[in-house]
């Protein structure tokens, strides 16, 4: 993702405390939480967030963490606030993302076996499909999602991280040396963008952040 990223995650709308998590110099995640709930959940937080203590008075309702794991903290905050439905929704999102990737691989392999093409152009279809399939398999291999398919239960990444990694898989369209037609609309990138964008329309929280949608717009503009 290019440029600065600053996302606000409202764990509870009535939250009176902001956790500002910085990962490097660019990415900032702000969590709006309830100090009272966190104090009940942990004796460490209880001492840290004591309203009569020096820490809260000095920080004015804001806690800053440098180079911390925003995904792990997000999970802790959700558990502390008893938002188990959101945790389940993330697992569902990860399952949808993995199924999406593996289905496209299956579609290409089925096309190869049946002498059919997924390419949308009238020429150079075999070359187009071969390049797209190679790009996808190479990308999934780099993410350690291929050749062994990964299940949701063994996925250590968060849904947020997985979304950005999938969107970052490179696709080099067949063009120039093959024909005068651009095969940019072919391949898997547009399909992945559309499917991930749809995730934000489901009733449950999907794990798709505003930063992901910005990333997709930036990629489409290139």
């Amino acid at each position: 993702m290019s440029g600065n990223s600053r996302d606000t995650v409202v764990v509870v709308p009535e939250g009176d405390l902001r956790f500002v998590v910085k990962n490097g110099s660019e990415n900032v995640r702000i969590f709006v939480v309830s100090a009272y709930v966190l104090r009940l959940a942990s004796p460490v937080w209880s001492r840290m967030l004591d309203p009569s203590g020096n820490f809260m008075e000095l920080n004015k309702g804001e806690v800053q963490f440098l180079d911390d794991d925003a995904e792990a903290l997000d999970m802790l905050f959700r558990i502390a606030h008893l938002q188990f439905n959101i945790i389940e929704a993330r697992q569902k999102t990860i399952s949808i993302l993995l199924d999406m990737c593996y289905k496209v691989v299956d579609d290409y392999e089925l096309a190869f076996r049946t002498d059919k093409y997924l390419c949308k152009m009238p020429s150079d279809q075999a070359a187009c499909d071969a390049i797209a399939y190679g790009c996808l398999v190479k990308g999934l291999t780099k993410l350690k999602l291929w050749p062994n398919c990964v299940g949701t239960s063994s996925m250590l990444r968060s849904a947020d991280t997985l979304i950005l990694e999938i969107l970052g898989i490179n696709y080099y369209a067949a063009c120039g040396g093959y024909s005068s037609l651009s095969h940019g609309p072919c391949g898997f990138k547009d399909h992945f963008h559309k499917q991930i964008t749809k995730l934000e329309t489901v009733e449950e929280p999907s794990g798709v952040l505003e930063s992901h949608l910005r990333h997709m717009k930036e990629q489409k503009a290139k």
Side-chain angles (χ1 to χ4, degrees):
M1 183 167 54
S2 62
N4 294 336
S5 171
R6 188 177 182 90
D7 291 303
T8 298
V9 179
V10 180
V11 179
V12 283
E14 63 275 14
D16 57 349
L17 180 65
R18 289 157 54 94
F19 271 83
V20 181
V21 183
K22 296 182 180 179
N23 182 10
S25 59
E26 294 185 351
N27 301 326
V28 177
R29 185 81 62 85
I30 301 171
F31 297 96
V32 180
V33 299
S34 166
Y36 176 74
V37 170
L38 295 186
R39 290 182 63 212
L40 291 177
S42 163
V44 176
W45 281 339
S46 181
R47 291 191 294 271
M48 177 189 295
L49 304 178
D50 187 340
S52 62
N54 292 331
F55 183 87
M56 286 299 288
E57 182 177 351
L58 290 173
N59 289 279
K60 307 299 182 183
E62 184 171 291
V63 180
Q64 293 204 16
F65 287 163
L66 299 179
D67 293 324
D68 219 312
D69 189 337
E71 307 303 341
L73 283 173
D74 194 355
M75 187 72 70
L76 286 174
F77 293 150
R78 300 297 182 183
I79 293 172
H81 290 80
L82 305 180
Q83 296 179 351
F84 300 110
N85 63 316
I86 293 181
I87 297 173
E88 292 174 1
R90 282 187 181 157
Q91 290 299 100
K92 180 179 178 181
T93 299
I94 288 174
S95 178
I96 291 172
L97 292 169
L98 293 173
D99 288 346
M100 174 188 72
C101 292
Y102 296 139
K103 183 181 184 304
V104 174
V105 173
D106 289 342
D107 288 345
Y108 276 110
E109 293 182 344
L110 178 61
F112 294 150
R113 291 195 299 269
T114 57
D115 292 325
K116 296 180 180 179
Y117 303 108
L118 300 183
C119 173
K120 300 179 176 66
M121 297 294 111
S123 63
D124 299 320
Q125 294 171 315
C128 178
D129 281 1
I131 292 172
Y133 175 78
C135 289
L136 179 57
V137 168
K138 181 180 180 180
L140 293 176
T141 300
K142 288 178 66 176
L143 298 178
K144 301 188 185 307
L145 301 178
W146 187 265
N148 298 319
C149 297
V150 177
T152 305
S153 60
S154 59
M155 171 57 63
L156 301 180
R157 303 175 181 89
S158 68
D160 300 338
T161 298
L162 185 59
I163 286 170
L164 293 179
E165 288 179 338
I166 290 172
L167 291 175
I169 295 176
N170 291 321
Y171 165 57
Y172 302 99
C175 61
Y178 298 95
S179 72
S180 60
L181 296 173
S182 170
H183 288 255
C186 306
F188 50 86
K189 295 289 281 190
D190 285 350
H191 175 69
F192 284 177
H193 287 162
K194 290 175 183 177
Q195 294 303 309
I196 290 173
T197 302
K198 285 180 182 178
L199 287 175
E200 73 158 349
T201 64
V202 298
E203 293 182 1
E204 295 179 294
S206 69
V208 177
L209 298 174
E210 180 63 27
S211 59
H212 302 150
L213 301 178
R214 288 199 304 269
H215 176 83
M216 287 188 281
K217 289 179 181 178
E218 290 170 2
Q219 291 299 309
K220 277 185 168 292
K222 290 182 178 179

